[in-house]
Amino acid sequence: MLDWKTRVNIIKQVAHVLEYMHHDYSPPIIHRDISSKNILLNSKMEGFVADFGVAKVLDANASIKLAYNIIVTEKCDVYSFGVLALETLGGKHPGDLLMSLNSSNQHGATFESILDKSIPYPNDTPIENEILRV
């Protein structure tokens, strides 16, 4: 079971990898398959991005047009990263999280309703602030 600090650190590490691939590596690389199944953890619980099988290399400041008029930019990875962050903080697949929020009588999601309920609510203010930032 991953604690809140570890979860936040994994999300940050993946964000740094994506920033490097999109902005610091030349030519930029778009992963196109950012998901929990492609994040590997080492013995120190550090997150690493894996499986570059569908990745594309971009010309600087360009995009790639694939079949069916799908345009590949870094936005593909950014969206997937958001889903990954939601899954990491919620402790379940985002589809399941959305279904549980829709089935409840809530008028919008609260911070507490999104967080994984299998571990205690973060009572450490710095960690709570980091979770809010994510």
Side-chain angles (χ1 to χ4, degrees):
M1 187 65 60
L2 300 177
D3 63 17
W4 292 114
K5 184 176 181 179
T6 303
R7 292 177 191 218
V8 168
N9 285 338
I10 292 168
I11 293 169
K12 286 176 159 182
Q13 290 158 355
V14 173
H16 289 294
V17 169
L18 291 176
E19 179 184 20
Y20 175 77
M21 288 175 14
H22 294 168
H23 302 290
D24 296 334
Y25 189 79
S26 183
I29 299 172
I30 307 302
H31 188 276
R32 297 180 57 221
D33 195 17
I34 297 295
S35 65
S36 57
K37 70 179 191 292
N38 290 330
I39 305 303
L40 304 179
L41 302 176
N42 67 9
S43 61
K44 297 176 186 174
M45 291 299 174
E46 297 169 324
F48 295 88
V49 177
D51 192 358
F52 286 78
V54 294
K56 295 292 180 192
V57 177
L58 296 181
D59 293 330
N61 300 318
S63 62
I64 295 175
K65 194 170 190 178
L66 299 177
Y68 308 109
N69 293 324
I70 296 172
I71 297 176
V72 176
T73 68
E74 68 225 10
K75 293 177 184 178
C76 302
D77 286 348
V78 172
Y79 178 85
S80 297
F81 171 75
V83 174
L84 172 71
L86 188 61
E87 182 178 2
T88 304
L89 294 178
K92 56 177 115 176
H93 187 275
D96 297 335
L97 179 62
L98 291 175
M99 287 181 59
S100 68
L101 291 174
N102 286 337
S103 65
S104 69
N105 291 329
Q106 296 176 341
H107 299 288
T110 63
F111 179 62
E112 293 83 9
S113 67
I114 293 173
L115 295 180
D116 188 351
K117 291 164 186 49
S118 67
I119 59 176
Y121 182 81
N123 56 9
D124 181 7
T125 303
I127 292 299
E128 186 176 10
N129 290 338
E130 287 290 319
I131 293 171
L132 283 169
R133 283 185 52 209
V134 169

